[in-house]
Amino acid sequence: MLALAENLWSGDTHSDAAWANFQQRLQAQYHWLDAQRITYGPQDKPVVTYSITADTQGDGWHLHAQRGFDDVHNHYTLDGSMPTVKSPAFDDSVAIRKPGTPRVTPFRHGMAYDEATSFTLEGNLARGRTVSLAQAVSSSYAPATVLVDGVVGSTNFHDGRWAAWEDHDVDATIDLGRSVGIHSLSTDFLQDVGSRILPPQRVTFSVSADGQHWTPLYVDTPKTDLFDDGQHRWLIRYQPTKAVTARYLRVVANRHTDLPADFPGGNKNTWLFVDENSGAVSRNASRRRGRPLPPGILCRA
């Protein structure tokens, strides 16, 4: 509002000297804004930008804050509740050791200075492991590491949690580092037809001991309304009757190539958006209906 008032008052005067003069007079206004307990942001950056990364050396994550004000303190909770000024706080980074729903709010002068930001963290065997792709992800969205960071994406495909492929299938292999017992396999896909983001036509989970010879475990063909313009997440999950021992996991998602004749825009320029959780270890995961493949069938990578 201060900048708008200055613009309207000064008309078309937009010289460097006019800007410098405005900057000088603006400084006095901050003391008044503070006295009125009005929350305002920095002139040229967000109040704070949050990000979260997996701790590859441990079992948790690190929540980072890039602060626009040096005196911002970030108060957080780990159970999804709204942070208050009495909640634990950090300045630049804090370690989170367990899965959950951390929520963080920037405070300044004892007041909440922005909306809360929340993350959903899930532990799984693939977290922090190496992922290899047959087709590179789109550079316009998140890197492939989001597939193994344990941070779950929302229905907003701009949230930085989704890896994306345009007009390509997905073929991802995760090296767990050693052979382990796997109790369930799952992965997330996004549907946002208005943005030409479609769920897969077919998803196949496979495992391997050596990364060369593969045993398919499960096939799912999601039944979706391709004309539904809502935003949805599709969780594809398979839980075997007993644990499967393997070192490598493979997820192949085939895109729709035979869209209905009246589908707007046809088959081109469609996207697959993918997130975790491949390799989740929950023993209580519900089993989606699909077509489990008989054991012993092998395919070459």
Side-chain angles (χ1 to χ4, degrees):
M1 294 298 295
L2 293 170
L4 175 61
E6 176 71 14
N7 240 336
L8 295 175
W9 179 261
S10 61
D12 293 330
T13 304
H14 295 123
S15 66
D16 290 343
W19 168 250
N21 181 266
F22 170 64
Q23 283 271 35
Q24 181 180 4
R25 289 181 284 111
L26 186 61
Q27 303 311 308
Q29 301 301 315
Y30 290 135
H31 300 293
W32 181 84
L33 292 171
D34 290 338
Q36 300 300 313
R37 297 186 62 79
I38 294 173
T39 58
Y40 54 89
Q43 298 173 22
D44 57 353
K45 64 189 72 173
V47 172
V48 65
T49 300
Y50 296 114
S51 61
I52 195 162
T53 56
D55 180 0
T56 57
Q57 304 302 317
D59 296 327
W61 297 263
H62 289 285
L63 175 58
H64 308 277
Q66 185 175 349
R67 295 178 293 162
F69 289 120
D70 291 339
D71 57 353
V72 160
H73 302 289
N74 305 288
H75 292 264
Y76 68 99
T77 60
L78 299 177
D79 59 2
S81 60
M82 190 64 67
T84 70
V85 71
K86 295 182 179 180
S87 302
F90 69 97
D91 289 340
D92 298 313
S93 181
V94 65
I96 298 176
R97 299 302 182 192
K98 296 181 179 180
T101 309
R103 179 172 286 188
V104 57
T105 301
F107 280 78
R108 187 169 183 252
H109 302 157
M111 297 181 294
Y113 248 62
D114 207 342
E115 299 291 334
T117 299
S118 62
F119 300 90
T120 301
L121 307 180
E122 292 191 0
N124 63 72
L125 292 173
R127 192 190 62 79
R129 300 300 183 180
T130 301
V131 57
S132 302
L133 303 171
Q135 306 90 8
V137 300
S138 169
S139 60
S140 299
Y141 297 96
T145 51
V146 299
L147 300 174
V148 290
D149 64 358
V151 187
V152 179
S154 67
T155 56
N156 175 13
F157 65 91
H158 288 299
D159 68 2
R161 306 259 59 95
W162 294 91
W165 287 259
E166 183 181 17
D167 289 337
H168 276 296
D169 295 337
V170 177
D171 189 342
T173 299
I174 299 171
D175 181 358
L176 299 178
R178 60 186 177 86
S179 293
V180 294
I182 300 168
H183 298 280
S184 66
L185 296 169
S186 61
T187 191
D188 258 347
F189 297 89
L190 191 63
Q191 177 174 337
D192 188 341
V193 176
S195 298
R196 302 194 65 75
I197 301 171
L198 305 181
Q201 186 174 41
R202 175 186 172 101
V203 179
T204 305
F205 291 148
S206 304
V207 293
S208 172
D210 58 7
Q212 298 295 320
H213 301 83
W214 295 92
T215 301
L217 295 179
Y218 182 74
V219 171
D220 201 341
T221 53
K223 304 302 181 184
T224 179
D225 179 3
L226 295 176
F227 294 92
D228 180 353
D229 59 1
Q231 295 174 322
H232 308 288
R233 286 172 50 185
W234 285 84
L235 176 64
I236 308 298
R237 185 188 296 274
Y238 169 61
Q239 183 177 0
T241 54
K242 62 179 182 179
V244 176
T245 300
R247 171 173 172 171
Y248 296 90
L249 310 176
R250 187 180 183 186
V251 180
V252 176
N254 302 110
R255 65 190 178 95
H256 285 271
T257 57
D258 54 350
L259 293 169
D262 55 345
F263 186 80
N267 291 320
K268 295 294 184 180
N269 306 121
T270 62
W271 293 79
L272 284 174
F273 273 66
V274 188
D275 191 26
E276 10 219 332
N277 293 303
S278 294
V281 295
S282 171
R283 291 180 180 270
N284 299 318
S286 60
R287 182 173 179 176
R288 277 183 58 98
R289 291 185 177 181
R291 298 202 305 273
L293 297 179
I297 297 178
L298 298 178
C299 62
R300 295 287 180 178

